[in-house]
Amino acid sequence: MHGNEVLGRELLLQLSEFLCEEFRNGNLRIARLVQDTRIHIMPSMNPDGYEVAAAQGPDTSGYLVGRNNANGVDLNRNFPDLNTYIYYNEKYGGLNHHLPLPDNWKSQVEPETRAVIQWIRSLNFVLSANLHGGAVVANYPYDKSLEHRVRGSRRAASTPTPDDKLFQKLAKVYSYAHGWMHHGWNCGDYFPDGITNGASWYSLSKGMQDFNYLHTNCFEITLELSCNKFPPQEELHREWLGNREALIQFLEQVHQGIKGMVLDENNNNLPGAVISVSGINHDVTSGDQGDYFRLLLPGTYTVTATAPGFDPTTVTVTVGPGEPKLVDFQLKRSIPQITELPVQHLEAESYQSKYGPG
């Protein structure tokens, strides 16, 4: 997202090559991952910023040169701000997922942001990460604090999502599979377990990870991967070895929780059905083909599927630590309730029909 934070760009190019080579070489773990997972890799969201950063050379002191896009805009402060609405809804009641965008949102964001929003809305993404540099930590939502403070001020209190325990686990998976992130001491800062709630680090408004969680089915974390935002070429091999297993393990995390189909009585797919988990105030929806995916930690859950015009269906399901639990829903169409007229009204009609008015 930031053109001057280039390690993530190189790691994703290397990851793409690694997945292809290992698949071709018969690596069973990689073959299973590729065959069972729709993997999308975008090495750079800000190619214009990268060109500016790369042109200044490695020995200059322009720490922020290339961070923004060609229009001078920070793309990770450019997504529609949905946090304000979710914090209100959490307090007073209201929608807890897929918050709508303003009518004029396309005119309020940069071309790169608009393209990414249209991309993530077009596919039923489940899990993602965006890659940065300047620190070494796995950052999870929310990024925007209830008490908005900017970077450099005293740390705000953590602002957790309803899926806080799951997000902490996702962050720890990356941190502990990484060569040194989990040590905590990196780049002159300390993060226990190498993870942090975004808002407790510094509050960030209009970021991509919160937007994903609040507008789509996708659970996203932010990975800060290097102290040096533009490391020299000779450090890339060490960085790849430090991140390779973490990248693979993070991809594998998409296969946990529950998944399945939502169908009607005639086995037609039901897109847009809402999947609710009791005790977690964040729902997901089924995709265009009626398929849904809900990331969950191991445990026993009460899960309900609802769709307009259908009776809700509720099941109890136990999720294990391994493969996701397959849970299909078949919803029955609601039977309209016939409202009876009050007895006195019927009697009045009968009298009038017999004797006329008056």
mmCIF file of all heavy atoms in Angstrom, residues 78-87 99-102 109 144 148 204-207 210-211 214:
data_model
loop_
_atom_site.group_PDB
_atom_site.id
_atom_site.type_symbol
_atom_site.label_atom_id
_atom_site.label_comp_id
_atom_site.label_asym_id
_atom_site.label_seq_id
_atom_site.Cartn_x
_atom_site.Cartn_y
_atom_site.Cartn_z
ATOM 1 N N ASN A 78 -7.428 6.175 3.172
ATOM 2 C CA ASN A 78 -8.252 6.621 2.051
ATOM 3 C C ASN A 78 -9.526 5.812 1.859
ATOM 4 O O ASN A 78 -10.329 6.101 0.987
ATOM 5 C CB ASN A 78 -7.406 6.593 0.759
ATOM 6 C CG ASN A 78 -8.063 7.252 -0.425
ATOM 7 O OD1 ASN A 78 -8.258 6.641 -1.474
ATOM 8 N ND2 ASN A 78 -8.448 8.514 -0.273
ATOM 9 N N PHE A 79 -9.744 4.783 2.679
ATOM 10 C CA PHE A 79 -10.961 3.980 2.561
ATOM 11 C C PHE A 79 -12.107 4.666 3.311
ATOM 12 O O PHE A 79 -11.871 5.432 4.244
ATOM 13 C CB PHE A 79 -10.721 2.578 3.118
ATOM 14 C CG PHE A 79 -9.899 1.704 2.215
ATOM 15 C CD1 PHE A 79 -8.519 1.848 2.165
ATOM 16 C CD2 PHE A 79 -10.497 0.758 1.409
ATOM 17 C CE1 PHE A 79 -7.748 1.066 1.323
ATOM 18 C CE2 PHE A 79 -9.737 -0.040 0.557
ATOM 19 C CZ PHE A 79 -8.364 0.115 0.511
ATOM 20 N N PRO A 80 -13.346 4.421 2.906
ATOM 21 C CA PRO A 80 -14.471 5.021 3.643
ATOM 22 C C PRO A 80 -14.411 4.649 5.124
ATOM 23 O O PRO A 80 -14.130 3.501 5.482
ATOM 24 C CB PRO A 80 -15.694 4.397 2.954
ATOM 25 C CG PRO A 80 -15.235 4.098 1.558
ATOM 26 C CD PRO A 80 -13.804 3.678 1.704
ATOM 27 N N ASP A 81 -14.667 5.629 5.981
ATOM 28 C CA ASP A 81 -14.603 5.434 7.431
ATOM 29 C C ASP A 81 -15.915 4.812 7.915
ATOM 30 O O ASP A 81 -16.931 5.499 8.011
ATOM 31 C CB ASP A 81 -14.347 6.763 8.124
ATOM 32 C CG ASP A 81 -14.229 6.616 9.641
ATOM 33 O OD1 ASP A 81 -14.259 5.469 10.123
ATOM 34 O OD2 ASP A 81 -14.107 7.640 10.331
ATOM 35 N N LEU A 82 -15.877 3.518 8.203
ATOM 36 C CA LEU A 82 -17.062 2.824 8.696
ATOM 37 C C LEU A 82 -17.003 2.604 10.205
ATOM 38 O O LEU A 82 -17.995 2.177 10.803
ATOM 39 C CB LEU A 82 -17.223 1.477 7.983
ATOM 40 C CG LEU A 82 -17.347 1.553 6.450
ATOM 41 C CD1 LEU A 82 -17.483 0.158 5.859
ATOM 42 C CD2 LEU A 82 -18.525 2.421 6.038
ATOM 43 N N ASN A 83 -15.872 2.887 10.821
ATOM 44 C CA ASN A 83 -15.733 2.669 12.263
ATOM 45 C C ASN A 83 -16.701 3.518 13.068
ATOM 46 O O ASN A 83 -17.275 3.061 14.062
ATOM 47 C CB ASN A 83 -14.302 2.967 12.716
ATOM 48 C CG ASN A 83 -13.298 2.001 12.135
ATOM 49 O OD1 ASN A 83 -12.994 2.055 10.942
ATOM 50 N ND2 ASN A 83 -12.765 1.110 12.957
ATOM 51 N N THR A 84 -16.890 4.767 12.648
ATOM 52 C CA THR A 84 -17.798 5.655 13.373
ATOM 53 C C THR A 84 -19.185 5.044 13.458
ATOM 54 O O THR A 84 -19.841 5.090 14.505
ATOM 55 C CB THR A 84 -17.871 7.026 12.668
ATOM 56 O OG1 THR A 84 -16.560 7.579 12.601
ATOM 57 C CG2 THR A 84 -18.780 7.977 13.421
ATOM 58 N N TYR A 85 -19.632 4.426 12.367
ATOM 59 C CA TYR A 85 -20.967 3.833 12.336
ATOM 60 C C TYR A 85 -21.044 2.572 13.190
ATOM 61 O O TYR A 85 -22.026 2.349 13.897
ATOM 62 C CB TYR A 85 -21.363 3.516 10.887
ATOM 63 C CG TYR A 85 -21.406 4.740 10.006
ATOM 64 C CD1 TYR A 85 -20.371 5.011 9.111
ATOM 65 C CD2 TYR A 85 -22.471 5.634 10.062
ATOM 66 C CE1 TYR A 85 -20.403 6.141 8.309
ATOM 67 C CE2 TYR A 85 -22.506 6.760 9.265
ATOM 68 C CZ TYR A 85 -21.463 7.014 8.382
ATOM 69 O OH TYR A 85 -21.494 8.130 7.598
ATOM 70 N N ILE A 86 -19.992 1.735 13.138
ATOM 71 C CA ILE A 86 -20.050 0.489 13.900
ATOM 72 C C ILE A 86 -19.976 0.767 15.394
ATOM 73 O O ILE A 86 -20.635 0.102 16.195
ATOM 74 C CB ILE A 86 -18.941 -0.500 13.463
ATOM 75 C CG1 ILE A 86 -19.287 -1.931 13.936
ATOM 76 C CG2 ILE A 86 -17.575 -0.110 14.016
ATOM 77 C CD1 ILE A 86 -20.485 -2.530 13.275
ATOM 78 N N TYR A 87 -19.202 1.783 15.803
ATOM 79 C CA TYR A 87 -19.130 2.107 17.227
ATOM 80 C C TYR A 87 -20.480 2.619 17.724
ATOM 81 O O TYR A 87 -20.894 2.326 18.845
ATOM 82 C CB TYR A 87 -18.027 3.137 17.495
ATOM 83 C CG TYR A 87 -16.634 2.643 17.153
ATOM 84 C CD1 TYR A 87 -15.592 3.536 16.911
ATOM 85 C CD2 TYR A 87 -16.349 1.279 17.062
ATOM 86 C CE1 TYR A 87 -14.316 3.093 16.591
ATOM 87 C CE2 TYR A 87 -15.087 0.825 16.737
ATOM 88 C CZ TYR A 87 -14.071 1.732 16.502
ATOM 89 O OH TYR A 87 -12.816 1.290 16.179
ATOM 90 N N LEU A 99 -21.523 -2.913 6.470
ATOM 91 C CA LEU A 99 -22.032 -1.550 6.576
ATOM 92 C C LEU A 99 -22.027 -0.900 5.197
ATOM 93 O O LEU A 99 -21.067 -1.038 4.436
ATOM 94 C CB LEU A 99 -21.175 -0.744 7.545
ATOM 95 C CG LEU A 99 -21.110 -1.262 8.993
ATOM 96 C CD1 LEU A 99 -20.373 -0.271 9.875
ATOM 97 C CD2 LEU A 99 -22.494 -1.531 9.552
ATOM 98 N N PRO A 100 -23.084 -0.196 4.843
ATOM 99 C CA PRO A 100 -23.169 0.380 3.486
ATOM 100 C C PRO A 100 -22.203 1.541 3.308
ATOM 101 O O PRO A 100 -21.816 2.215 4.273
ATOM 102 C CB PRO A 100 -24.627 0.851 3.405
ATOM 103 C CG PRO A 100 -25.029 1.082 4.826
ATOM 104 C CD PRO A 100 -24.289 0.057 5.645
ATOM 105 N N LEU A 101 -21.834 1.780 2.065
ATOM 106 C CA LEU A 101 -20.957 2.891 1.726
ATOM 107 C C LEU A 101 -21.785 4.122 1.384
ATOM 108 O O LEU A 101 -22.926 4.006 0.920
ATOM 109 C CB LEU A 101 -20.075 2.525 0.532
ATOM 110 C CG LEU A 101 -19.175 1.304 0.686
ATOM 111 C CD1 LEU A 101 -18.306 1.138 -0.553
ATOM 112 C CD2 LEU A 101 -18.319 1.403 1.931
ATOM 113 N N PRO A 102 -21.216 5.305 1.581
ATOM 114 C CA PRO A 102 -21.923 6.524 1.144
ATOM 115 C C PRO A 102 -22.184 6.482 -0.360
ATOM 116 O O PRO A 102 -21.421 5.875 -1.118
ATOM 117 C CB PRO A 102 -20.950 7.656 1.503
ATOM 118 C CG PRO A 102 -19.968 7.060 2.462
ATOM 119 C CD PRO A 102 -19.906 5.597 2.182
ATOM 120 N N VAL A 109 -12.498 8.666 -3.029
ATOM 121 C CA VAL A 109 -11.301 7.846 -2.867
ATOM 122 C C VAL A 109 -10.433 7.919 -4.120
ATOM 123 O O VAL A 109 -10.882 8.336 -5.195
ATOM 124 C CB VAL A 109 -11.667 6.369 -2.565
ATOM 125 C CG1 VAL A 109 -12.480 6.265 -1.282
ATOM 126 C CG2 VAL A 109 -12.422 5.734 -3.733
ATOM 127 N N LYS A 144 -8.810 1.923 14.345
ATOM 128 C CA LYS A 144 -9.292 3.215 14.827
ATOM 129 C C LYS A 144 -9.807 3.095 16.248
ATOM 130 O O LYS A 144 -10.688 2.276 16.532
ATOM 131 C CB LYS A 144 -10.400 3.763 13.918
ATOM 132 C CG LYS A 144 -10.874 5.156 14.317
ATOM 133 C CD LYS A 144 -11.900 5.707 13.344
ATOM 134 C CE LYS A 144 -12.340 7.105 13.775
ATOM 135 N NZ LYS A 144 -13.336 7.676 12.833
ATOM 136 N N HIS A 148 -9.909 8.730 19.639
ATOM 137 C CA HIS A 148 -8.965 8.883 18.522
ATOM 138 C C HIS A 148 -7.707 9.630 18.949
ATOM 139 O O HIS A 148 -7.762 10.759 19.400
ATOM 140 C CB HIS A 148 -9.634 9.618 17.362
ATOM 141 C CG HIS A 148 -8.824 9.578 16.103
ATOM 142 N ND1 HIS A 148 -8.569 8.404 15.425
ATOM 143 C CD2 HIS A 148 -8.194 10.552 15.401
ATOM 144 C CE1 HIS A 148 -7.830 8.662 14.356
ATOM 145 N NE2 HIS A 148 -7.599 9.963 14.328
ATOM 146 N N LEU A 204 -5.704 4.882 13.795
ATOM 147 C CA LEU A 204 -5.605 5.106 12.354
ATOM 148 C C LEU A 204 -7.012 5.091 11.776
ATOM 149 O O LEU A 204 -7.770 4.138 11.988
ATOM 150 C CB LEU A 204 -4.742 3.994 11.752
ATOM 151 C CG LEU A 204 -4.399 3.953 10.267
ATOM 152 C CD1 LEU A 204 -3.217 3.020 10.042
ATOM 153 C CD2 LEU A 204 -5.575 3.474 9.415
ATOM 154 N N SER A 205 -7.385 6.133 11.084
ATOM 155 C CA SER A 205 -8.713 6.238 10.498
ATOM 156 C C SER A 205 -8.666 5.955 9.000
ATOM 157 O O SER A 205 -7.688 6.264 8.328
ATOM 158 C CB SER A 205 -9.269 7.647 10.743
ATOM 159 O OG SER A 205 -10.605 7.747 10.292
ATOM 160 N N LYS A 206 -9.716 5.346 8.484
ATOM 161 C CA LYS A 206 -9.887 5.070 7.049
ATOM 162 C C LYS A 206 -8.861 4.067 6.524
ATOM 163 O O LYS A 206 -8.443 4.134 5.371
ATOM 164 C CB LYS A 206 -9.827 6.361 6.227
ATOM 165 C CG LYS A 206 -10.893 7.383 6.591
ATOM 166 C CD LYS A 206 -10.827 8.592 5.681
ATOM 167 C CE LYS A 206 -11.910 9.603 6.020
ATOM 168 N NZ LYS A 206 -11.872 10.779 5.118
ATOM 169 N N GLY A 207 -8.470 3.111 7.364
ATOM 170 C CA GLY A 207 -7.530 2.082 6.955
ATOM 171 C C GLY A 207 -8.205 0.908 6.270
ATOM 172 O O GLY A 207 -9.418 0.715 6.371
ATOM 173 N N ASP A 210 -9.688 -2.391 8.752
ATOM 174 C CA ASP A 210 -10.996 -2.182 9.368
ATOM 175 C C ASP A 210 -12.089 -2.175 8.307
ATOM 176 O O ASP A 210 -13.184 -2.707 8.523
ATOM 177 C CB ASP A 210 -11.016 -0.857 10.135
ATOM 178 C CG ASP A 210 -10.216 -0.911 11.432
ATOM 179 O OD1 ASP A 210 -9.550 -1.943 11.681
ATOM 180 O OD2 ASP A 210 -10.235 0.087 12.189
ATOM 181 N N PHE A 211 -11.794 -1.577 7.150
ATOM 182 C CA PHE A 211 -12.778 -1.532 6.072
ATOM 183 C C PHE A 211 -13.178 -2.949 5.649
ATOM 184 O O PHE A 211 -14.365 -3.241 5.458
ATOM 185 C CB PHE A 211 -12.213 -0.764 4.877
ATOM 186 C CG PHE A 211 -13.145 -0.743 3.691
ATOM 187 C CD1 PHE A 211 -14.148 0.202 3.596
ATOM 188 C CD2 PHE A 211 -13.023 -1.686 2.672
ATOM 189 C CE1 PHE A 211 -15.023 0.211 2.513
ATOM 190 C CE2 PHE A 211 -13.883 -1.688 1.592
ATOM 191 C CZ PHE A 211 -14.893 -0.731 1.508
ATOM 192 N N LEU A 214 -15.536 -4.530 8.212
ATOM 193 C CA LEU A 214 -16.829 -3.881 8.394
ATOM 194 C C LEU A 214 -17.684 -3.847 7.133
ATOM 195 O O LEU A 214 -18.899 -3.652 7.221
ATOM 196 C CB LEU A 214 -16.624 -2.445 8.902
ATOM 197 C CG LEU A 214 -15.985 -2.345 10.292
ATOM 198 C CD1 LEU A 214 -15.725 -0.890 10.654
ATOM 199 C CD2 LEU A 214 -16.868 -3.014 11.336
#
